[in-house]
Amino acid sequence: MKLDLWVRLNITMVDDTKISGWTKMCGKHGLAMYNKPFKTLKPIVNDHIDKMNWLAICNRWGETNQIIEVNTSKIKRYVIKECVQPYDTEEEYYAIKEWYRNYMRRRTFLENNGQ
């Protein structure tokens, strides 16, 4: 199962230039993409930007040809517009979707029953 996450960012640089594109974040971020408006994804993106010196921005998710590299120390702010977690097969997509549905049911049950 692929757990890498592609995130589309609208970035405002220190000199007020604007950049928009996709960046790949490696690692296990399975649940973060499901929570809108990306409140749990924001700290993950912050951590990713802090660890990187240069952020590769691409036109489309899954594309390896970068269109620009952004110096992370020059980023003033950013907004997460979209995120995608690619899957190898359609069966894998539906298995993850079913797992997440069951996870949310258990979590809701526990919250409602005070556990």
mmCIF file of all heavy atoms in Angstrom, residues 1-7 25-36 38 40-41 44 83-87 93 96-97 99-101 103-104 107:
data_model
loop_
_atom_site.group_PDB
_atom_site.id
_atom_site.type_symbol
_atom_site.label_atom_id
_atom_site.label_comp_id
_atom_site.label_asym_id
_atom_site.label_seq_id
_atom_site.Cartn_x
_atom_site.Cartn_y
_atom_site.Cartn_z
ATOM 1 N N MET A 1 0.839 -1.168 0.000
ATOM 2 C CA MET A 1 0.000 0.000 0.000
ATOM 3 C C MET A 1 0.891 1.241 0.000
ATOM 4 O O MET A 1 1.823 1.347 0.769
ATOM 5 C CB MET A 1 -0.891 -0.021 1.242
ATOM 6 C CG MET A 1 -1.612 1.262 1.477
ATOM 7 S SD MET A 1 -2.794 1.278 2.827
ATOM 8 C CE MET A 1 -2.115 0.243 4.061
ATOM 9 N N LYS A 2 0.576 2.182 -0.874
ATOM 10 C CA LYS A 2 1.319 3.434 -0.913
ATOM 11 C C LYS A 2 0.757 4.367 0.152
ATOM 12 O O LYS A 2 -0.443 4.542 0.247
ATOM 13 C CB LYS A 2 1.186 4.093 -2.275
ATOM 14 C CG LYS A 2 1.900 3.380 -3.370
ATOM 15 C CD LYS A 2 1.771 4.148 -4.650
ATOM 16 C CE LYS A 2 2.487 3.428 -5.759
ATOM 17 N NZ LYS A 2 2.351 4.111 -7.025
ATOM 18 N N LEU A 3 1.622 4.970 0.917
ATOM 19 C CA LEU A 3 1.184 5.916 1.926
ATOM 20 C C LEU A 3 1.747 7.308 1.690
ATOM 21 O O LEU A 3 1.553 8.188 2.501
ATOM 22 C CB LEU A 3 1.567 5.407 3.316
ATOM 23 C CG LEU A 3 0.870 4.112 3.713
ATOM 24 C CD1 LEU A 3 1.411 3.613 5.035
ATOM 25 C CD2 LEU A 3 -0.618 4.303 3.806
ATOM 26 N N ASP A 4 2.431 7.487 0.577
ATOM 27 C CA ASP A 4 2.914 8.826 0.242
ATOM 28 C C ASP A 4 1.717 9.710 -0.093
ATOM 29 O O ASP A 4 0.695 9.234 -0.562
ATOM 30 C CB ASP A 4 3.862 8.780 -0.948
ATOM 31 C CG ASP A 4 5.114 7.987 -0.643
ATOM 32 O OD1 ASP A 4 5.420 7.809 0.547
ATOM 33 O OD2 ASP A 4 5.778 7.548 -1.591
ATOM 34 N N LEU A 5 1.883 10.975 0.145
ATOM 35 C CA LEU A 5 0.785 11.910 -0.035
ATOM 36 C C LEU A 5 1.214 13.022 -0.974
ATOM 37 O O LEU A 5 2.313 13.555 -0.849
ATOM 38 C CB LEU A 5 0.430 12.491 1.336
ATOM 39 C CG LEU A 5 -0.886 13.186 1.510
ATOM 40 C CD1 LEU A 5 -2.047 12.250 1.208
ATOM 41 C CD2 LEU A 5 -1.015 13.681 2.935
ATOM 42 N N TRP A 6 0.363 13.360 -1.929
ATOM 43 C CA TRP A 6 0.592 14.495 -2.817
ATOM 44 C C TRP A 6 -0.323 15.616 -2.364
ATOM 45 O O TRP A 6 -1.529 15.430 -2.236
ATOM 46 C CB TRP A 6 0.294 14.121 -4.261
ATOM 47 C CG TRP A 6 1.372 13.297 -4.872
ATOM 48 C CD1 TRP A 6 1.506 11.942 -4.820
ATOM 49 C CD2 TRP A 6 2.482 13.772 -5.618
ATOM 50 N NE1 TRP A 6 2.628 11.548 -5.481
ATOM 51 C CE2 TRP A 6 3.244 12.647 -5.995
ATOM 52 C CE3 TRP A 6 2.906 15.037 -6.014
ATOM 53 C CZ2 TRP A 6 4.408 12.760 -6.748
ATOM 54 C CZ3 TRP A 6 4.062 15.137 -6.760
ATOM 55 C CH2 TRP A 6 4.802 14.009 -7.127
ATOM 56 N N VAL A 7 0.245 16.792 -2.123
ATOM 57 C CA VAL A 7 -0.503 17.932 -1.604
ATOM 58 C C VAL A 7 -0.362 19.101 -2.579
ATOM 59 O O VAL A 7 0.734 19.425 -3.020
ATOM 60 C CB VAL A 7 0.031 18.348 -0.209
ATOM 61 C CG1 VAL A 7 -0.733 19.527 0.330
ATOM 62 C CG2 VAL A 7 -0.039 17.183 0.761
ATOM 63 N N MET A 25 4.916 14.272 -0.314
ATOM 64 C CA MET A 25 5.374 14.084 1.062
ATOM 65 C C MET A 25 5.438 12.579 1.322
ATOM 66 O O MET A 25 4.412 11.902 1.313
ATOM 67 C CB MET A 25 4.410 14.761 2.043
ATOM 68 C CG MET A 25 4.362 16.239 1.833
ATOM 69 S SD MET A 25 3.383 17.178 2.998
ATOM 70 C CE MET A 25 2.494 16.005 3.904
ATOM 71 N N CYS A 26 6.641 12.080 1.510
ATOM 72 C CA CYS A 26 6.826 10.658 1.762
ATOM 73 C C CYS A 26 6.515 10.340 3.218
ATOM 74 O O CYS A 26 6.718 11.165 4.098
ATOM 75 C CB CYS A 26 8.256 10.249 1.430
ATOM 76 S SG CYS A 26 8.683 10.523 -0.286
ATOM 77 N N GLY A 27 6.048 9.145 3.449
ATOM 78 C CA GLY A 27 5.758 8.711 4.809
ATOM 79 C C GLY A 27 4.330 8.239 4.961
ATOM 80 O O GLY A 27 3.569 8.184 4.003
ATOM 81 N N LYS A 28 3.974 7.886 6.169
ATOM 82 C CA LYS A 28 2.652 7.350 6.444
ATOM 83 C C LYS A 28 1.731 8.466 6.921
ATOM 84 O O LYS A 28 1.781 8.864 8.070
ATOM 85 C CB LYS A 28 2.747 6.252 7.507
ATOM 86 C CG LYS A 28 3.563 5.073 7.053
ATOM 87 C CD LYS A 28 3.619 4.009 8.103
ATOM 88 C CE LYS A 28 4.450 2.839 7.605
ATOM 89 N NZ LYS A 28 4.480 1.745 8.568
ATOM 90 N N HIS A 29 0.911 8.930 5.999
ATOM 91 C CA HIS A 29 -0.029 10.009 6.306
ATOM 92 C C HIS A 29 -1.446 9.590 5.942
ATOM 93 O O HIS A 29 -2.219 10.371 5.429
ATOM 94 C CB HIS A 29 0.344 11.275 5.534
ATOM 95 C CG HIS A 29 1.775 11.656 5.677
ATOM 96 N ND1 HIS A 29 2.345 11.986 6.889
ATOM 97 C CD2 HIS A 29 2.771 11.730 4.767
ATOM 98 C CE1 HIS A 29 3.627 12.260 6.706
ATOM 99 N NE2 HIS A 29 3.907 12.112 5.440
ATOM 100 N N GLY A 30 -1.764 8.339 6.198
ATOM 101 C CA GLY A 30 -3.012 7.751 5.739
ATOM 102 C C GLY A 30 -4.278 8.465 6.138
ATOM 103 O O GLY A 30 -5.159 8.673 5.326
ATOM 104 N N LEU A 31 -4.415 8.855 7.385
ATOM 105 C CA LEU A 31 -5.668 9.448 7.839
ATOM 106 C C LEU A 31 -5.726 10.950 7.669
ATOM 107 O O LEU A 31 -6.804 11.525 7.652
ATOM 108 C CB LEU A 31 -5.903 9.116 9.312
ATOM 109 C CG LEU A 31 -6.121 7.643 9.627
ATOM 110 C CD1 LEU A 31 -6.280 7.449 11.112
ATOM 111 C CD2 LEU A 31 -7.329 7.120 8.887
ATOM 112 N N ALA A 32 -4.606 11.593 7.548
ATOM 113 C CA ALA A 32 -4.571 13.059 7.527
ATOM 114 C C ALA A 32 -5.334 13.649 6.352
ATOM 115 O O ALA A 32 -5.932 14.704 6.474
ATOM 116 C CB ALA A 32 -3.124 13.545 7.504
ATOM 117 N N MET A 33 -5.351 12.961 5.224
ATOM 118 C CA MET A 33 -5.986 13.524 4.044
ATOM 119 C C MET A 33 -7.508 13.491 4.104
ATOM 120 O O MET A 33 -8.171 14.183 3.367
ATOM 121 C CB MET A 33 -5.518 12.809 2.789
ATOM 122 C CG MET A 33 -6.009 11.393 2.664
ATOM 123 S SD MET A 33 -5.543 10.663 1.099
ATOM 124 C CE MET A 33 -6.737 11.397 0.017
ATOM 125 N N TYR A 34 -8.073 12.694 5.004
ATOM 126 C CA TYR A 34 -9.526 12.564 5.053
ATOM 127 C C TYR A 34 -10.188 13.657 5.881
ATOM 128 O O TYR A 34 -11.381 13.859 5.780
ATOM 129 C CB TYR A 34 -9.916 11.200 5.619
ATOM 130 C CG TYR A 34 -9.533 10.069 4.701
ATOM 131 C CD1 TYR A 34 -8.424 9.292 4.968
ATOM 132 C CD2 TYR A 34 -10.272 9.807 3.561
ATOM 133 C CE1 TYR A 34 -8.071 8.257 4.120
ATOM 134 C CE2 TYR A 34 -9.914 8.780 2.709
ATOM 135 C CZ TYR A 34 -8.825 8.005 2.995
ATOM 136 O OH TYR A 34 -8.464 7.001 2.151
ATOM 137 N N ASN A 35 -9.434 14.328 6.731
ATOM 138 C CA ASN A 35 -10.011 15.336 7.615
ATOM 139 C C ASN A 35 -9.994 16.695 6.941
ATOM 140 O O ASN A 35 -8.951 17.257 6.701
ATOM 141 C CB ASN A 35 -9.228 15.391 8.929
ATOM 142 C CG ASN A 35 -9.256 14.071 9.657
ATOM 143 O OD1 ASN A 35 -10.268 13.402 9.674
ATOM 144 N ND2 ASN A 35 -8.145 13.693 10.247
ATOM 145 N N LYS A 36 -11.165 17.216 6.635
ATOM 146 C CA LYS A 36 -11.282 18.538 6.032
ATOM 147 C C LYS A 36 -11.601 19.516 7.137
ATOM 148 O O LYS A 36 -12.274 19.161 8.081
ATOM 149 C CB LYS A 36 -12.398 18.558 4.987
ATOM 150 C CG LYS A 36 -12.276 17.497 3.923
ATOM 151 C CD LYS A 36 -11.502 17.984 2.763
ATOM 152 C CE LYS A 36 -11.293 16.814 1.847
ATOM 153 N NZ LYS A 36 -11.013 16.846 0.615
ATOM 154 N N PHE A 38 -8.421 20.082 6.380
ATOM 155 C CA PHE A 38 -6.998 19.755 6.455
ATOM 156 C C PHE A 38 -6.340 20.214 7.748
ATOM 157 O O PHE A 38 -5.167 20.554 7.763
ATOM 158 C CB PHE A 38 -6.238 20.314 5.249
ATOM 159 C CG PHE A 38 -6.817 19.889 3.930
ATOM 160 C CD1 PHE A 38 -7.266 20.835 3.030
ATOM 161 C CD2 PHE A 38 -6.904 18.555 3.596
ATOM 162 C CE1 PHE A 38 -7.793 20.456 1.806
ATOM 163 C CE2 PHE A 38 -7.434 18.165 2.381
ATOM 164 C CZ PHE A 38 -7.877 19.121 1.490
ATOM 165 N N THR A 40 -5.569 18.423 10.413
ATOM 166 C CA THR A 40 -4.531 17.490 10.846
ATOM 167 C C THR A 40 -3.397 17.399 9.832
ATOM 168 O O THR A 40 -2.315 16.925 10.160
ATOM 169 C CB THR A 40 -5.104 16.082 11.087
ATOM 170 O OG1 THR A 40 -5.725 15.618 9.879
ATOM 171 C CG2 THR A 40 -6.108 16.086 12.215
ATOM 172 N N LEU A 41 -3.637 17.860 8.614
ATOM 173 C CA LEU A 41 -2.595 17.827 7.589
ATOM 174 C C LEU A 41 -1.641 19.014 7.705
ATOM 175 O O LEU A 41 -0.468 18.910 7.368
ATOM 176 C CB LEU A 41 -3.249 17.811 6.203
ATOM 177 C CG LEU A 41 -2.352 17.553 5.012
ATOM 178 C CD1 LEU A 41 -1.628 16.223 5.156
ATOM 179 C CD2 LEU A 41 -3.165 17.566 3.741
ATOM 180 N N ILE A 44 1.609 18.344 9.525
ATOM 181 C CA ILE A 44 2.448 17.427 8.746
ATOM 182 C C ILE A 44 3.162 18.198 7.639
ATOM 183 O O ILE A 44 4.352 18.013 7.397
ATOM 184 C CB ILE A 44 1.596 16.280 8.164
ATOM 185 C CG1 ILE A 44 1.043 15.414 9.310
ATOM 186 C CG2 ILE A 44 2.395 15.443 7.189
ATOM 187 C CD1 ILE A 44 -0.002 14.421 8.889
ATOM 188 N N CYS A 83 -5.469 17.286 -1.616
ATOM 189 C CA CYS A 83 -4.455 16.252 -1.413
ATOM 190 C C CYS A 83 -4.947 14.942 -2.015
ATOM 191 O O CYS A 83 -6.142 14.685 -2.105
ATOM 192 C CB CYS A 83 -4.090 16.093 0.058
ATOM 193 S SG CYS A 83 -5.429 15.615 1.105
ATOM 194 N N VAL A 84 -3.996 14.129 -2.436
ATOM 195 C CA VAL A 84 -4.290 12.866 -3.106
ATOM 196 C C VAL A 84 -3.315 11.827 -2.578
ATOM 197 O O VAL A 84 -2.130 12.098 -2.391
ATOM 198 C CB VAL A 84 -4.105 12.999 -4.637
ATOM 199 C CG1 VAL A 84 -4.263 11.661 -5.327
ATOM 200 C CG2 VAL A 84 -5.074 14.011 -5.202
ATOM 201 N N GLN A 85 -3.842 10.634 -2.347
ATOM 202 C CA GLN A 85 -2.996 9.509 -1.975
ATOM 203 C C GLN A 85 -3.188 8.436 -3.042
ATOM 204 O O GLN A 85 -4.223 7.778 -3.081
ATOM 205 C CB GLN A 85 -3.391 8.984 -0.602
ATOM 206 C CG GLN A 85 -2.438 7.968 -0.060
ATOM 207 C CD GLN A 85 -2.793 7.613 1.366
ATOM 208 O OE1 GLN A 85 -3.909 7.798 1.811
ATOM 209 N NE2 GLN A 85 -1.839 7.084 2.084
ATOM 210 N N PRO A 86 -2.226 8.297 -3.950
ATOM 211 C CA PRO A 86 -2.411 7.353 -5.061
ATOM 212 C C PRO A 86 -2.365 5.899 -4.598
ATOM 213 O O PRO A 86 -1.691 5.566 -3.626
ATOM 214 C CB PRO A 86 -1.233 7.658 -5.983
ATOM 215 C CG PRO A 86 -0.250 8.387 -5.162
ATOM 216 C CD PRO A 86 -0.971 9.006 -4.010
ATOM 217 N N TYR A 87 -3.094 5.057 -5.297
ATOM 218 C CA TYR A 87 -3.162 3.629 -4.992
ATOM 219 C C TYR A 87 -2.730 2.836 -6.210
ATOM 220 O O TYR A 87 -2.912 3.280 -7.346
ATOM 221 C CB TYR A 87 -4.582 3.223 -4.596
ATOM 222 C CG TYR A 87 -5.088 3.995 -3.412
ATOM 223 C CD1 TYR A 87 -5.955 5.058 -3.565
ATOM 224 C CD2 TYR A 87 -4.663 3.679 -2.128
ATOM 225 C CE1 TYR A 87 -6.406 5.785 -2.475
ATOM 226 C CE2 TYR A 87 -5.106 4.391 -1.038
ATOM 227 C CZ TYR A 87 -5.975 5.437 -1.223
ATOM 228 O OH TYR A 87 -6.400 6.153 -0.146
ATOM 229 N N TYR A 93 -7.775 0.768 -3.317
ATOM 230 C CA TYR A 93 -8.510 1.990 -2.986
ATOM 231 C C TYR A 93 -9.762 1.655 -2.173
ATOM 232 O O TYR A 93 -10.029 2.267 -1.143
ATOM 233 C CB TYR A 93 -8.885 2.733 -4.262
ATOM 234 C CG TYR A 93 -9.888 3.838 -4.040
ATOM 235 C CD1 TYR A 93 -9.501 5.048 -3.469
ATOM 236 C CD2 TYR A 93 -11.228 3.671 -4.381
ATOM 237 C CE1 TYR A 93 -10.414 6.060 -3.250
ATOM 238 C CE2 TYR A 93 -12.150 4.681 -4.167
ATOM 239 C CZ TYR A 93 -11.736 5.869 -3.602
ATOM 240 O OH TYR A 93 -12.646 6.854 -3.380
ATOM 241 N N ILE A 96 -8.928 0.432 1.414
ATOM 242 C CA ILE A 96 -8.579 1.554 2.300
ATOM 243 C C ILE A 96 -9.837 2.336 2.682
ATOM 244 O O ILE A 96 -10.025 2.713 3.840
ATOM 245 C CB ILE A 96 -7.569 2.504 1.617
ATOM 246 C CG1 ILE A 96 -6.280 1.781 1.309
ATOM 247 C CG2 ILE A 96 -7.328 3.746 2.443
ATOM 248 C CD1 ILE A 96 -5.366 1.565 2.464
ATOM 249 N N LYS A 97 -10.699 2.567 1.709
ATOM 250 C CA LYS A 97 -11.939 3.304 1.973
ATOM 251 C C LYS A 97 -12.805 2.565 2.991
ATOM 252 O O LYS A 97 -13.360 3.175 3.909
ATOM 253 C CB LYS A 97 -12.696 3.498 0.661
ATOM 254 C CG LYS A 97 -13.801 4.485 0.731
ATOM 255 C CD LYS A 97 -14.345 4.748 -0.660
ATOM 256 C CE LYS A 97 -15.478 5.740 -0.586
ATOM 257 N NZ LYS A 97 -16.019 6.047 -1.891
ATOM 258 N N TRP A 99 -11.738 0.361 5.242
ATOM 259 C CA TRP A 99 -11.035 0.411 6.533
ATOM 260 C C TRP A 99 -11.305 1.740 7.230
ATOM 261 O O TRP A 99 -11.579 1.779 8.427
ATOM 262 C CB TRP A 99 -9.536 0.228 6.324
ATOM 263 C CG TRP A 99 -8.762 0.457 7.576
ATOM 264 C CD1 TRP A 99 -8.524 -0.452 8.568
ATOM 265 C CD2 TRP A 99 -8.168 1.686 7.999
ATOM 266 N NE1 TRP A 99 -7.803 0.143 9.578
ATOM 267 C CE2 TRP A 99 -7.571 1.447 9.259
ATOM 268 C CE3 TRP A 99 -8.072 2.952 7.441
ATOM 269 C CZ2 TRP A 99 -6.902 2.444 9.962
ATOM 270 C CZ3 TRP A 99 -7.405 3.931 8.143
ATOM 271 C CH2 TRP A 99 -6.830 3.672 9.383
ATOM 272 N N TYR A 100 -11.236 2.837 6.470
ATOM 273 C CA TYR A 100 -11.464 4.157 7.056
ATOM 274 C C TYR A 100 -12.900 4.289 7.553
ATOM 275 O O TYR A 100 -13.145 4.843 8.623
ATOM 276 C CB TYR A 100 -11.153 5.257 6.048
ATOM 277 C CG TYR A 100 -11.354 6.642 6.620
ATOM 278 C CD1 TYR A 100 -10.470 7.138 7.571
ATOM 279 C CD2 TYR A 100 -12.427 7.429 6.241
ATOM 280 C CE1 TYR A 100 -10.647 8.401 8.115
ATOM 281 C CE2 TYR A 100 -12.602 8.694 6.783
ATOM 282 C CZ TYR A 100 -11.713 9.173 7.722
ATOM 283 O OH TYR A 100 -11.899 10.409 8.269
ATOM 284 N N ARG A 101 -13.864 3.775 6.811
ATOM 285 C CA ARG A 101 -15.267 3.816 7.235
ATOM 286 C C ARG A 101 -15.446 3.069 8.560
ATOM 287 O O ARG A 101 -16.095 3.562 9.483
ATOM 288 C CB ARG A 101 -16.148 3.218 6.140
ATOM 289 C CG ARG A 101 -17.624 3.391 6.401
ATOM 290 C CD ARG A 101 -18.483 2.834 5.278
ATOM 291 N NE ARG A 101 -18.153 3.440 3.994
ATOM 292 C CZ ARG A 101 -17.839 2.745 2.897
ATOM 293 N NH1 ARG A 101 -17.810 1.432 2.925
ATOM 294 N NH2 ARG A 101 -17.557 3.363 1.785
ATOM 295 N N TYR A 103 -13.070 2.437 10.767
ATOM 296 C CA TYR A 103 -12.331 3.188 11.773
ATOM 297 C C TYR A 103 -13.178 4.321 12.337
ATOM 298 O O TYR A 103 -13.240 4.534 13.540
ATOM 299 C CB TYR A 103 -11.035 3.739 11.152
ATOM 300 C CG TYR A 103 -10.331 4.764 12.011
ATOM 301 C CD1 TYR A 103 -9.517 4.364 13.071
ATOM 302 C CD2 TYR A 103 -10.489 6.124 11.759
ATOM 303 C CE1 TYR A 103 -8.875 5.308 13.855
ATOM 304 C CE2 TYR A 103 -9.850 7.061 12.536
ATOM 305 C CZ TYR A 103 -9.042 6.655 13.586
ATOM 306 O OH TYR A 103 -8.416 7.595 14.365
ATOM 307 N N MET A 104 -13.848 5.067 11.470
ATOM 308 C CA MET A 104 -14.689 6.180 11.910
ATOM 309 C C MET A 104 -15.896 5.694 12.708
ATOM 310 O O MET A 104 -16.311 6.334 13.674
ATOM 311 C CB MET A 104 -15.138 7.022 10.709
ATOM 312 C CG MET A 104 -14.005 7.811 10.079
ATOM 313 S SD MET A 104 -13.091 8.851 11.255
ATOM 314 C CE MET A 104 -14.302 10.089 11.625
ATOM 315 N N ARG A 107 -14.586 4.854 16.172
ATOM 316 C CA ARG A 107 -14.252 6.089 16.877
ATOM 317 C C ARG A 107 -15.509 6.826 17.333
ATOM 318 O O ARG A 107 -15.585 7.277 18.476
ATOM 319 C CB ARG A 107 -13.428 6.987 15.952
ATOM 320 C CG ARG A 107 -12.777 8.123 16.687
ATOM 321 C CD ARG A 107 -11.834 8.840 15.788
ATOM 322 N NE ARG A 107 -12.328 10.200 15.682
ATOM 323 C CZ ARG A 107 -11.854 11.108 14.888
ATOM 324 N NH1 ARG A 107 -10.883 10.817 14.077
ATOM 325 N NH2 ARG A 107 -12.336 12.313 14.871
#
